[in-house]
Amino acid sequence: MKTQFIYLLIFQLLIGSCMKKDTTENNDNSKQEYFANPQEAAKKAKSDFLEVMKSSKDLNLGFNASALEGTETGNPFVLEELDFDKILSMDSSSSFNSISKGVKNTIVPFLDNKNVVTVAMLRSSSDGYSISGLGDAKMALDLTILDLSDQSDFTAYEVPNLNIIIYKKVSNSTELYFTDYEGRFNLSQGVSFQELSKTLKSEAILFNRKYGDEVKKQKLVR
């Protein structure tokens, strides 16, 4: 997650810098740009980032401009944020739908065959889709391992405090969950919600016992 933050910060600062230069010619360019669908927004994100990479030769994000340039846009999927307090009180009737705070980002992968080079992160509003960032090496690697080519219904979940991303694949009405949390699970073998939720709840309880008071005092970043 720290790596993701760094990539997002670099992207936003550099793109912001480009936009600032453009405002000398047209002040309207400083406004947030919205797109009708994720594919259009991802196309613009890719174009902007290629421009930045080509003008900043020393920028090292784990892939080069030519690798990104040759990619195709994959199917978008949503990243939802789970409610940590609801994780603590999960029971046998719980599901990720019932403990989700809602969609945090729409993720669009950039694919070179089955290899995910990087991802674009988009926000959705009544105005359409806007670009919130590009580049998450950990997620790109995760998605490459998970193989997005099988066209399964796909959703990602972010777990606050524990810094876990969980991926759900639905194929032929069967749900499987994938994560690589502390070696207890791996991305090559899916598990049921029941199996995953037990570990997730126990880890959340341990975290809350150790750091709950500090989180409440806002001494830790969720």
Side-chain angles (χ1 to χ4, degrees):
M1 300 301 288
K2 184 177 180 181
T3 303
Q4 177 184 358
F5 173 77
I6 292 172
Y7 286 165
L8 288 175
L9 183 60
I10 290 172
F11 175 75
Q12 290 163 349
L13 287 175
L14 292 175
I15 294 300
S17 176
C18 292
M19 290 178 64
K20 186 175 181 181
K21 291 178 183 178
D22 290 342
T23 58
T24 60
E25 300 177 1
N26 186 348
N27 288 333
D28 289 339
N29 287 346
S30 63
K31 295 179 181 179
Q32 179 68 64
E33 192 171 3
Y34 293 96
F35 303 87
N37 55 61
Q39 289 81 3
E40 289 182 14
K43 182 178 179 181
K44 182 62 164 63
K46 178 179 176 179
S47 174
D48 286 348
F49 205 76
L50 281 171
E51 182 180 346
V52 169
M53 293 183 75
K54 289 176 180 179
S55 62
S56 305
K57 302 296 184 182
D58 57 343
L59 186 62
N60 182 12
L61 297 179
F63 58 92
N64 54 40
S66 61
L68 178 59
E69 199 164 23
T71 59
E72 296 182 356
T73 302
N75 292 328
F77 61 90
V78 297
L79 171 67
E80 299 186 20
E81 182 180 0
L82 300 183
D83 188 314
F84 189 77
D85 291 332
K86 290 183 178 180
I87 293 174
L88 293 170
S89 59
M90 280 195 303
D91 57 31
S92 58
S93 65
S94 298
S95 67
F96 278 167
N97 287 337
S98 67
I99 64 173
S100 173
K101 286 185 174 181
V103 175
K104 182 176 182 179
N105 288 119
T106 296
I107 308 295
V108 181
F110 294 105
L111 300 167
D112 178 10
N113 293 317
K114 292 185 177 183
N115 179 51
V116 179
V117 174
T118 190
V119 297
M121 280 145 277
L122 314 174
R123 287 199 177 96
S124 176
S125 71
S126 59
D127 295 313
Y129 290 89
S130 60
I131 303 165
S132 61
L134 180 86
D136 185 333
K138 176 62 170 63
M139 180 175 283
L141 178 60
D142 288 352
L143 297 176
T144 297
I145 295 171
L146 288 169
D147 186 3
L148 301 179
S149 65
D150 62 3
Q151 302 297 312
S152 298
D153 183 15
F154 199 81
T155 309
Y157 301 93
E158 180 179 287
V159 184
N161 298 325
L162 299 182
N163 293 333
I164 306 172
I165 298 292
I166 297 167
Y167 304 94
K168 179 180 76 173
K169 295 180 76 173
V170 181
S171 182
N172 298 322
S173 300
T174 300
E175 291 185 1
L176 287 176
Y177 295 82
F178 301 80
T179 187
D180 60 354
Y181 179 62
E182 293 190 346
R184 300 192 182 193
F185 302 99
N186 67 76
L187 293 168
S188 299
Q189 184 174 358
V191 297
S192 67
F193 176 79
Q194 289 73 18
E195 183 178 353
L196 177 63
S197 62
K198 291 177 182 178
T199 299
L200 190 62
K201 180 177 180 178
S202 64
E203 290 297 308
I205 290 172
L206 286 174
F207 179 94
N208 200 50
R209 286 173 181 167
K210 290 182 178 179
Y211 308 112
D213 291 341
E214 294 178 69
V215 170
K216 290 177 182 177
K217 294 176 184 177
Q218 298 183 343
K219 289 183 180 179
L220 293 181
V221 178
R222 283 178 177 256

